[in-house]
């Protein structure tokens, strides 16, 4: 009797966090193989339980390649556990926190380059190496990846049929059908993009096999500026065809789901996008999908924003079913910053800036772009109202702008039982791999625009803060963010910056109940 052969590992394993419920820490792993009929044997070694084999699920087969998923749970105990697992002959491990452990979370964004020529000048592994070192010394439990996990902009010149389409007059491009040739070539482009970048020889692939991830996409996971183009572009057959393929691959590789019905982990907020949320003890994480529903006139639909509001009210208040404890912190992933300098001034004069070609779409993408200000105001009011009435500190975690910076929203309005000053901090870490913006832009941000206070509404203001102990508001260097909760429920936020030994630190305190 012949035994089935296993294929060569092309990408992975990529771990994904699936929730912490009823004392169970749930995880999944994704792997891409080429050749062979069967999945490699997946074995789990849990301290005190021995060796367990986990059954594979085939998520997709594509041109001789297969995408596999394994799902399992580990009981949380009184001690932190290093859980070993093996795939075939290769061994890996990750850490499950103790039941009463305080979480350690890493965050990064912008994991690729706009242009190939930039890639040759920079070590794309540099900040991944720093993360690996810090993880070895004090392991992280979750890694949040806040957008632009891959850069698909190369589809316009690397996919021949798309380059030919671009050569047509605009009017013909907008009417052109999405051909079978386009579909086939783009399927291969996106599939190979993920498998190449997440291969085991790169640090990204290595680290995602050691820290369970939670990912949310941004424009470059589709192509630069998606959602901020005119309606006739966005709704053209070719643009919609590209989006559907990018969406399928985001769902497959980043969310580790076979189809929309397979999105079973976490709480899915809304019906059209991928906004999701998790409650982990006294911490909650909500990741906003700001691409699936984006147009020039909106970032997210009202339906999704209402689902987010309802989830916060039902799941994170003191009336939480189960242990009855209140949520201390809500980390809200917003791929673009909710608080930033007013880029409308730069949007009007961007042509005078060096390197402006890569910034034009980013200006239109910002929450402070004129088209999105009303929606932003509504979201800020809802977050402040929730924080004020529930006693849960809201912190926005963001990226996109290729600088590290601190935002701060302050409300002097009376809100619920907490009628004292209410604040929302925003932590921006960007980029982990991509290059920082031009020095002239960083200078203008720091010296011209960064010190201004924005009047959001009556008694509600926003501003950019200086990093504690420094005179700097913007750090124009590659970086990633470490978030560690301590025994006093404070979040120690540390930015690790390329070329600097010591991190920049900001401490976020929980809300102290009013007496």
């Amino acid at each position: 009797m012949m035994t089935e052969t296993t294929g060569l590992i092309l990408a992975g394993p990529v771990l994904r966090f699936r929730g912490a419920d009823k004392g169970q820490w749930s995880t999944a792993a994704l792997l891409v193989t080429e050749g062979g009929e069967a999945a490699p044997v997946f074995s789990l070694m849990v301290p005190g339980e021995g060796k367990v084999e986990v059954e594979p699920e085939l998520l997709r087969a594509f041109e001789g390649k297969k995408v596999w998923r394994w799902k399992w749970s580990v009981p949380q105990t009184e001690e932190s556990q290093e859980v070993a697992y093996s795939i075939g002959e290769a061994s890996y491990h990750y850490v499950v926190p103790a039941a009463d452990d305080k979480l350690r979370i890493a965050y990064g964004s912008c994991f690729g380059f706009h242009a190939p020529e930039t890639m040759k000048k920079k070590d794309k592994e540099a900040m991944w190496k720093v993360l690996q070192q810090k993880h070895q010394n004090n392991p992280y439990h979750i890694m949040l990846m806040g957008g632009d996990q891959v850069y698909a902009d190369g589809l316009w010149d690397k996919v021949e049929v798309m380059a030919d389409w671009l050569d047509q007059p605009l009017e013909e491009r907008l009417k052109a059908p999405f051909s079978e040739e386009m579909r086939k070539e783009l399927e291969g482009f996106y599939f190979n993009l993920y498998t190449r970048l997440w291969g085991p020889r790169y640090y990204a692939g290595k680290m995602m096999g050691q820290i369970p991830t939670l990912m949310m996409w941004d424009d470059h996971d589709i192509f630069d500026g998606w959602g901020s183009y005119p309606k006739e572009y966005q709704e053209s057959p070719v643009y919609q065809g590209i989006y559907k393929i990018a969406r399928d691959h985001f769902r497959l590789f980043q969310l580790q789901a076979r189809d929309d019905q397979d999105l079973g982990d976490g709480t899915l907020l809304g019906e059209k996008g991928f906004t999701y949320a998790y409650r982990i003890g006294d911490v909650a994480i909500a990741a906003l999908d700001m691409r699936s529903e984006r147009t020039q006139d909106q970032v997210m639909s009202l339906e999704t924003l209402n689902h987010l509001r309802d989830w916060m009210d039902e799941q994170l208040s003191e009336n939480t079913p189960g242990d009855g404890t209140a949520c201390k912190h809500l980390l809200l992933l917003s791929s673009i910053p909710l608080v930033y300098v007013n880029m409308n001034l730069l949007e009007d004069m961007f042509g005078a800036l060096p390197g402006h070609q890569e910034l034009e779409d980013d200006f239109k993408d910002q929450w402070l772009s004129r088209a999105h200000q009303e929606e932003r105001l509504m979201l800020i009011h809802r977050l402040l109202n929730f924080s004020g009435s529930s006693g849960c500190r809201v912190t926005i975690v963001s990226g996109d702008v290729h600088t590290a910076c601190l935002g701060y929203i302050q409300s002097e309005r009376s809100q619920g039982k907490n009628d004292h000053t209410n604040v929302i901090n925003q932590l921006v870490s960007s980029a982990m791999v991509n290059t920082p913006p031009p020095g002239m832009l960083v200078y203008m941000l720091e010296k011209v625009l960064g010190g201004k206070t924005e009047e959001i509404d009556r008694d509600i203001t926003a501003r950019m803060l200086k990093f504690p102990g420094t005179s700097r508001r913007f750090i124009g260097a590659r970086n990633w963010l470490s978030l560690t909760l301590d025994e006093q429920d404070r979040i120690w936020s540390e930015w690790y910056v390329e070329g600097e030994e010591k991190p920049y630190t900001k401490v976020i305190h929980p809300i102290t109940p009013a007496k």
Side-chain angles (χ1 to χ4, degrees), residues 288 290 299-300 302 304-306 308-309 312 332-334 336-338 367 372-386 394 396 409 424 456:
L288 304 181
M290 300 165 68
V299 179
M300 295 180 292
L302 181 59
T304 295
L305 291 172
N306 287 343
L308 173 65
R309 177 199 59 199
M312 291 190 301
L332 188 74
L333 268 67
S334 171
I336 55 176
L338 203 62
W367 272 111
H372 304 317
Q373 288 188 14
E374 182 179 354
E375 183 181 344
R376 172 180 179 258
L377 178 61
M378 180 178 66
L379 178 58
I380 288 172
H381 271 289
R382 288 186 174 187
L383 293 175
L384 286 169
N385 289 339
F386 162 73
V394 175
I396 299 162
I409 298 171
I424 295 174
I456 295 177

Side-chain angles (χ1 to χ4, degrees), residues 11 21 27 74 80 91 107 135 153 174 176 258-259 318 356 359 366 369-370 387 417 499:
D21 186 41
T27 313
V74 172
S80 176
S91 298
Y107 171 85
H135 178 66
D153 309 321
L174 297 181
R258 179 185 297 105
D259 50 37
E318 287 188 344
H356 65 83
L359 301 173
Q366 295 304 311
S369 180
R370 295 181 184 97
S387 182
K417 60 189 177 185

Side-chain angles (χ1 to χ4, degrees), residues 403-423:
T403 61
C405 52
L406 269 170
Y408 191 78
I409 298 171
Q410 179 171 314
S411 172
E412 300 295 343
R413 294 187 180 189
S414 177
Q415 285 139 345
K417 60 189 177 185
N418 295 301
D419 57 1
H420 50 73
T421 299
N422 193 1
V423 301

Side-chain angles (χ1 to χ4, degrees), residues 342-351 353 359-360 362-366 368-371:
N342 193 333
M343 300 295 279
N344 292 321
L345 298 175
L346 295 183
E347 189 173 348
D348 292 337
M349 58 176 286
F350 74 90
L353 292 171
L359 301 173
E360 181 177 6
D362 291 339
F363 295 149
K364 292 182 173 64
D365 262 1
Q366 295 304 311
L368 265 170
S369 180
R370 295 181 184 97

Side-chain angles (χ1 to χ4, degrees), residues 5-45:
T5 59
T6 58
L8 174 70
I9 295 177
L10 291 183
V14 175
L15 298 181
R16 186 174 194 274
F17 177 70
R18 295 176 43 238
D21 186 41
K22 298 179 181 178
Q24 298 287 321
W25 187 268
S26 298
T27 313
L30 180 137
L31 194 77
V32 183
T33 61
E34 183 174 33
E37 299 85 18
V41 174
F42 186 105
S43 298
L44 191 68
M45 185 67 73

Side-chain angles (χ1 to χ4, degrees), residues 164-382:
D164 293 341
W165 178 80
L166 273 181
D167 286 339
Q168 299 177 33
L170 175 60
E171 190 171 327
E172 293 184 21
R173 294 204 304 268
L174 297 181
K175 294 179 180 178
F178 186 68
S179 67
E180 179 62 22
E181 183 182 9
M182 288 178 175
R183 185 199 63 76
K184 182 178 179 181
E185 293 298 316
L186 286 168
E187 288 272 2
F189 172 80
Y190 280 97
F191 192 96
N192 293 329
L193 181 65
Y194 278 99
T195 55
R196 184 176 73 252
L197 295 176
W198 291 3
R201 65 193 183 98
Y202 292 126
Y203 272 85
K206 293 174 183 176
M207 293 310 300
M208 289 191 291
Q210 298 178 41
I211 311 173
T213 63
L214 284 176
M215 307 187 201
M216 181 50 72
W217 65 348
D218 203 22
D219 59 335
H220 291 284
D221 300 282
I222 308 165
F223 60 79
D224 191 15
W226 172 263
S228 294
Y229 289 95
K231 183 176 180 180
E232 60 268 28
Y233 284 60
Q234 293 285 141
E235 295 183 355
S236 68
V238 172
Y239 267 44
Q240 285 296 309
I242 297 170
Y243 171 73
K244 182 181 184 304
I245 291 173
R247 182 185 190 277
D248 289 346
H249 285 78
F250 162 71
R251 183 185 59 208
L252 175 66
F253 283 96
Q254 298 194 37
L255 302 184
Q256 299 189 8
R258 179 185 297 105
D259 50 37
D260 285 0
Q261 288 67 49
D262 195 33
L263 293 164
D265 301 320
T267 303
L268 198 62
L269 306 177
E271 298 175 3
K272 298 177 183 176
F274 294 108
T275 294
Y276 64 81
Y278 288 89
R279 174 76 184 267
I280 313 167
D282 52 12
V283 175
I285 298 171
L288 304 181
D289 179 356
M290 300 165 68
R291 290 297 155 185
S292 293
E293 301 171 321
R294 177 183 283 270
T295 69
Q296 284 195 321
D297 300 320
Q298 75 170 25
V299 179
M300 295 180 292
S301 69
L302 181 59
E303 176 195 45
T304 295
L305 291 172
N306 287 343
H307 278 288
L308 173 65
R309 177 199 59 199
D310 294 344
W311 178 81
M312 291 190 301
D313 290 344
E314 293 169 4
Q315 298 297 320
L316 306 185
S317 71
E318 287 188 344
N319 297 318
T320 300
D323 59 9
T325 61
C327 182
K328 300 293 196 306
H329 292 277
L330 168 62
L331 300 178
L332 188 74
L333 268 67
S334 171
S335 59
I336 55 176
L338 203 62
V339 180
Y340 202 54
V341 299
N342 193 333
M343 300 295 279
N344 292 321
L345 298 175
L346 295 183
E347 189 173 348
D348 292 337
M349 58 176 286
F350 74 90
L353 292 171
H356 65 83
Q357 293 87 352
E358 294 179 358
L359 301 173
E360 181 177 6
D361 290 330
D362 291 339
F363 295 149
K364 292 182 173 64
D365 262 1
Q366 295 304 311
W367 272 111
L368 265 170
S369 180
R370 295 181 184 97
H372 304 317
Q373 288 188 14
E374 182 179 354
E375 183 181 344
R376 172 180 179 258
L377 178 61
M378 180 178 66
L379 178 58
I380 288 172
H381 271 289
R382 288 186 174 187

Side-chain angles (χ1 to χ4, degrees), residues 59-90:
L59 299 187
R60 187 175 179 198
F62 177 77
E63 295 184 348
K65 307 175 185 72
K66 292 183 173 69
V67 182
W68 304 96
R69 179 182 66 189
W70 293 264
K71 298 166 72 172
W72 68 94
S73 299
V74 172
Q76 290 182 270
T77 63
E78 295 181 359
E79 301 291 336
S80 176
Q81 303 172 80
E82 183 175 285
V83 178
Y85 68 99
S86 63
I87 299 178
E89 300 299 321

